[in-house]
Structures are given as C-alpha cells and as structure tokens.
C-alpha cells in the first residue's frame, strides 16, 4: 500500500492549517447515512470551502458516478448522469498548487470512472461528455479565499448552478446560471429572483468552518455575470452565451 502524503511542509501546516485528510477518515465521514443519502441524489450539491487536493471531492465524485451507473439504462443516459453528478460538486481552495492538483485529480477520476463504467453498456466514449466535464470542473473548482469570498485575482468568487430543465426529448438539458459566493451565502439573491428553496435545502457544506461574523476589509464591486443559453448537458463545453 502506498503511503499517503498528508503534509507538504511544517510552514504550510502553521500558516494554512494544511493537513490533508487520510482516505480512511474520508470514507468514514462519507459513509454516514445522511451523507450517503445526499450522494444517492445525483444533483444534491456539496461545497468544500477548503478543498485542498480534493480528498473529499474526488471520493464524492467516485461515489456519484457509481450512482449514475446504477440509475442509467443506456450509454447516453449514463453520460448525462455522470455530468449531473459531477456538476453537483464544488470546491474553493486558496493555494494555486493545490487547486491545480484538485482539477487534475477530478478530471482523472471522471475520465477513468466514466470510461470504465461505460463498458457495462458497450458504449462508445462520447468526447462531448469528456469535454463538458472539463468545463464543469474548471467552473466548480475555484482558486480563492473562502473567508474574503474573493478569487485569486481579487474578484468575487463566482459559482455556476447547473439547473436541470424539464426533460422533453431524449437528452437532458441544462441552464447554467452564475452567482457570486457572497450571494449564495446571503441567502440568495440574483438578477432574476431567488434560488429556489429546493436548491437551498440540497446544499451540503462539508466543512462549515466559515466565520459568519467575518467582513471583508474593502467593498467588493459587483461583477457582470455571463448569460448562458440552455443546452444539452453534452453541449456544456460549447459555453454558448446569449447575444448582448
Ligand atoms: C486542513 S486542509 C484540508 C484539505 C482538504 N479538505 C482535505 O481534507 O484533505 C485545509 C485546506 O484549506 C486551505 N485554506 C486555508 N485557508 C483557506 C481559505 N481562507 N480559503 C480557502 N482555502 C483555504 C489550505 O490551503 C488547505 O489546503
């Protein structure tokens, strides 16, 4: 068995509290019945505001894809369900080297599980699934500070909601909507109204370490949000936006 590397340096432990969680603890926590119940709901969201290299998020992804396999009848449905499971996982991480590893590990886990489990349906790998997964991972794994709610460039952290639309044809469609992290925490305002109560109920914060009384030192300017057009899950990679 390979030894897990849980600490990068004493300095980082001191400055960032950076100690990664061992796999057995991750498994123990994710095996709790209330967490398992949420994993079994493919679109129930998880946010890890101190994601590190993804000890929790990568394992959550493996488990969501296992659920996708169970509930799918064919290769197309499996591709859609893998993307739904993936789009429910969000992370924030302060350190650039950690976020790079996080993105790499999420991508590798998705590609490996999707391609391996697809064999059950004797299906061809759909390149659009892989490309759309990469866009979702890039959007959902944010390099930023969960306390100031600013990203690495000093702009407000923005998350995408991947809202599933009522299914009409064979393929599931999605509306990508953007919110600042501040808006999500505030309970949740956006240009077109409020996030639905169902969405709020589904949110699960793995590490609710945020200090509610924390105030950023300077006023953060609102940032314009991108208006995406509704599309099939497998067309997310196109990132098509509405004309201004
Ligand atoms: C104790 S480690 C846990 C990492 C991961 N959750 C795990 O279980 O392996 C804490 C992580 O939070 C990050 N971190 C520290 N302060 C942060 C902040 N204000 N915003 C976002 N991430 C932060 C550190 O870089 C570190 O990767």
């Amino acid at each position: 068995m390979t030894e897990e590397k849980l600490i990068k340096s004493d300095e980082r432990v001191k400055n960032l509290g950076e100690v990664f969680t061992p796999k057995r603890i991750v498994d123990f926590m994710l095996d709790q019945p209330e967490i398992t119940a949420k994993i079994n709901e493919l679109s129930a969201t998880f946010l890890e505001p101190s994601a590190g290299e993804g000890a929790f998020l990568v394992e959550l992804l493996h488990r969501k894809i296992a659920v996708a396999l169970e509930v799918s009848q064919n290769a197309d449905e499996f591709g859609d369900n893998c993307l739904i499971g993936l789009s429910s996982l969000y992370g924030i991480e302060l350190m650039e080297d950690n976020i790079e590893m996080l993105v790499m590990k999420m991508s590798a886990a998705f590609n490996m599980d999707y391609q391996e489990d697809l064999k059950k349906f004797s299906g061809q790998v759909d390149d659009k699934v892989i490309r759309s997964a990469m866009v979702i991972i890039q959007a959902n794994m944010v390099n930023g500070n969960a306390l100031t709610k600013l990203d690495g460039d000093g702009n407000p952290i923005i998350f995408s909601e991947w809202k599933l639309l009522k299914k009409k044809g064979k393929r599931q469609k999605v509306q990508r909507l953007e919110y600042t992290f501040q808006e999500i925490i505030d309970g949740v305002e956006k240009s077109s109204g409020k996030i639905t109560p169902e969405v709020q109920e589904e949110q699960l914060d793995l590490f609710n370490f945020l200090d509610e009384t924390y105030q950023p030192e300077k006023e953060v300017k609102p940032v314009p949000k991108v208006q995406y057009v509704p599309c099939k899950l497998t067309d997310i990679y196109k990132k098509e936006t509405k004309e201004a």
Side-chain angles (χ1 to χ4, degrees), residues 33-61:
E34 65 275 25
I35 305 276
T36 304
K38 288 293 177 189
I39 293 169
N40 288 337
E41 279 176 52
L42 265 187
S43 57
T45 53
F46 288 80
L47 165 67
E48 196 180 349
S50 55
E53 294 186 352
F56 284 90
L57 288 167
V58 171
E59 182 55 30
L60 280 165
L61 180 57

Side-chain angles (χ1 to χ4, degrees), residues 39 106 134 141 149 156-157 183 200 212-213 227:
I39 293 169
M106 291 292 281
M134 293 313 117
M141 304 298 138
K149 303 173 191 76
I157 290 175
E183 285 169 335
Q200 288 189 45
E212 297 297 329
T213 59
Q227 304 281 314

Side-chain angles (χ1 to χ4, degrees), residues 112-139:
M112 191 182 75
D113 288 7
Y114 166 64
Q115 294 188 35
E116 186 57 33
D117 291 350
L118 193 62
K119 289 178 189 160
K120 178 183 166 189
F121 304 105
S122 319
Q124 291 281 326
V125 172
D126 183 348
D127 188 47
K128 289 170 152 195
V129 171
I130 305 275
R131 290 168 72 182
S132 295
M134 293 313 117
V135 170
I136 294 170
I137 292 169
Q138 292 288 350

Side-chain angles (χ1 to χ4, degrees), residues 68-69 71-81 118 120-123 167 170-171:
L69 181 65
V71 301
S72 303
Q73 306 297 323
N74 56 53
D76 285 350
E77 218 176 274
F78 176 60
D80 282 356
N81 282 329
L118 193 62
K120 178 183 166 189
F121 304 105
S122 319
K167 208 167 171 183
K170 279 191 178 163
R171 302 309 292 260

Side-chain angles (χ1 to χ4, degrees), residues 153-169:
D153 299 323
N155 296 317
I157 290 175
I158 291 187
F159 279 122
S160 290
E161 180 193 358
W162 309 89
K163 193 179 172 69
L164 299 178
L165 303 175
K166 204 166 174 344
K167 208 167 171 183
K168 286 186 184 148

